[in-house]
Amino acid sequence: MRKLAKIVRIDELNPIEGADAIECAVVGGWKVVAQKGLYNVGDLAVYFEIDSWIPTELAPFLSKGKEPREFEGVKGERLRTIKLRGQLSQGLLMPLSEIYDHVGGQIFGEICEEEGADLTELLGIKKWEKPMNAQLAGVCKGNFPSLIPKTDQERCQNLKKEIVAANEAGLKFEITEKLEGSSMTVYQIKGEFGVCSRNMDLKETEGNSFWATARKEGIQEKMAAVDEYWDFAIQGELIGPGIQGNIYNLKECEFRVFDVYNIQAGEYMLPQDRRRLIEKMGLKHVPVLAATADMYDTLGITDIPQLLAFAEGKSVMGDITGPEREGVVFKQVDGGMSFKAISNKYLLGEK
């Protein structure tokens, strides 16, 4: 489960040019603007990741004196990527003392007084997600199948130490473009075919874009014809009209695959095996930017800032004046490590 709120250690504190009251705190791979003098290097604090939904009672100042917004019945605010005095700021830092006061010192002390402790559930933090339109929302048949992992890669900023270790080990990665769409999973379990959004198993209803695309592309028949696997799931991005502004200017929706999960074995297929299977099935894959390159030596990527710089660029789905890509996804070619780097230009809405 993603740690949207956790205890971190302040790694660096850097001045911001022209700013007397604020400074830039560095925690792992994240940079966060904080009140000057509130922290010292080495202090423990609570970090809330971008796209966290923060309840009003925890941080009323986020509403800036206005009526708080509401998400899934909780009044609060969403944390976004912003710039303050020209400094990129991603997330929110709060002193441990304020969290003690909020939940009660005894409860807090019993559960988590160490670096890395997960406070997401304790503090009622939710992951903000953009509401789906009616064509996507569909009708729920049941919960997302428990036999299949949900699609959500860890952000590179949370894996600073692991990426340094991967660099030293010379690991090789498949690198794909992260597309701007809606997560879609299709599955075959004991002969039953199903279609899921990010969080729900969907009924087949008229007008639902997930099911309509699965039928248009003949995915059920193509999965049934696979000899190598019986129970498996194909995961990817649904892109096109009515989805995230259709930034690729597609005429109709299409399903772009980024993972295949072998339910019987309980593991994801290796990147090269997945690409071969998807090509054999006649389905479309997300754009592959590099399939076997050592991302560190070949691309010169050695740290988080370089990863984030590499994530920026135009989508290969469009022409040279096309949309800014959302980011890139790295998957170890022999299995194991995977993560995403989201473009800061994309998050800031820059073109």
Side-chain angles (χ1 to χ4, degrees), residues 19-309:
D20 296 325
I22 55 176
E23 58 189 346
C24 179
V26 178
V27 290
W30 298 102
K31 293 183 178 181
V32 190
V33 171
Q35 179 183 329
K36 197 168 186 177
L38 190 59
Y39 305 102
N40 295 307
V41 173
D43 283 355
L44 292 178
V46 178
Y47 171 71
F48 301 87
E49 194 172 308
I50 54 174
D51 285 336
S52 294
W53 186 262
I54 311 296
T56 297
E57 59 268 23
L58 180 62
F61 55 86
L62 291 176
S63 296
K64 299 178 181 179
K66 299 180 180 179
E67 181 67 21
R69 297 174 175 82
E70 187 170 320
F71 174 70
E72 294 186 353
V74 177
K75 289 187 178 298
E77 300 293 340
R78 168 197 174 194
L79 294 181
R80 301 170 180 265
T81 295
I82 59 174
K83 276 187 176 180
L84 294 171
R85 294 291 188 94
Q87 172 61 56
L88 187 77
S89 182
Q90 295 184 299
L92 171 69
L93 278 175
M94 292 182 67
L96 293 184
S97 58
E98 292 189 26
I99 305 303
Y100 274 116
D101 294 340
H102 179 73
V103 302
Q106 183 176 356
I107 296 175
F108 185 81
E110 289 174 355
I111 296 176
C112 43
E113 271 196 318
E114 58 182 31
E115 187 177 357
D118 186 1
L119 307 185
T120 304
E121 186 174 350
L122 176 67
L123 299 179
I125 309 301
K126 296 177 177 287
K127 182 181 182 298
W128 181 88
E129 293 182 351
K130 187 175 182 179
M132 287 186 177
N133 62 35
Q135 286 180 302
L136 290 176
V139 177
C140 180
K141 183 173 75 174
N143 294 327
F144 192 91
S146 60
L147 295 174
I148 308 168
K150 289 186 179 180
T151 61
D152 196 9
Q153 293 291 336
E154 184 65 274
R155 289 178 183 262
C156 64
Q157 291 97 325
N158 292 326
L159 298 172
K160 185 176 180 179
K161 294 179 181 177
E162 291 85 350
I163 288 171
V164 169
N167 177 28
E168 293 173 349
L171 299 183
K172 295 184 178 181
F173 288 77
E174 171 198 66
I175 307 170
T176 57
E177 179 177 338
K178 188 178 189 306
L179 296 182
E180 170 72 288
S182 189
S183 178
M184 173 174 168
T185 296
V186 292
Y187 66 81
Q188 177 179 276
I189 302 177
K190 296 182 179 179
E192 178 186 357
F193 177 74
V195 177
C196 304
S197 61
R198 178 180 296 279
N199 296 311
M200 296 190 307
D201 198 347
L202 299 171
K203 287 184 179 179
E204 184 173 9
T205 54
E206 185 177 354
N208 179 257
S209 297
F210 290 100
W211 268 100
T213 303
R215 291 303 186 199
K216 174 177 67 75
E217 299 187 4
I219 297 177
Q220 181 175 6
E221 295 75 17
K222 290 174 180 178
M223 291 184 77
V226 172
D227 297 326
E228 298 95 319
Y229 307 99
W230 181 244
D231 291 353
F232 68 110
I234 302 175
Q235 298 180 311
E237 206 76 15
L238 182 66
I239 56 176
I243 306 171
Q244 306 286 18
N246 188 20
I247 65 173
Y248 309 112
N249 295 317
L250 299 175
K251 301 297 183 183
E252 58 182 4
C253 289
E254 59 181 56
F255 179 50
R256 289 277 183 153
V257 178
F258 53 65
D259 260 327
V260 176
Y261 186 73
N262 182 342
I263 296 173
Q264 290 162 297
E267 61 186 17
Y268 280 105
M269 293 180 64
L270 295 178
Q272 57 270 34
D273 296 333
R274 177 223 311 135
R275 293 194 305 272
R276 281 196 294 266
L277 177 63
I278 294 309
E279 182 178 5
K280 176 182 175 182
M281 293 177 69
L283 297 176
K284 294 180 179 178
H285 201 278
V286 296
V288 178
L289 306 180
T292 58
D294 182 324
M295 69 171 186
Y296 301 101
D297 292 342
T298 304
L299 299 175
I301 300 173
T302 59
D303 56 24
I304 300 299
Q306 288 183 2
L307 272 173
L308 295 173

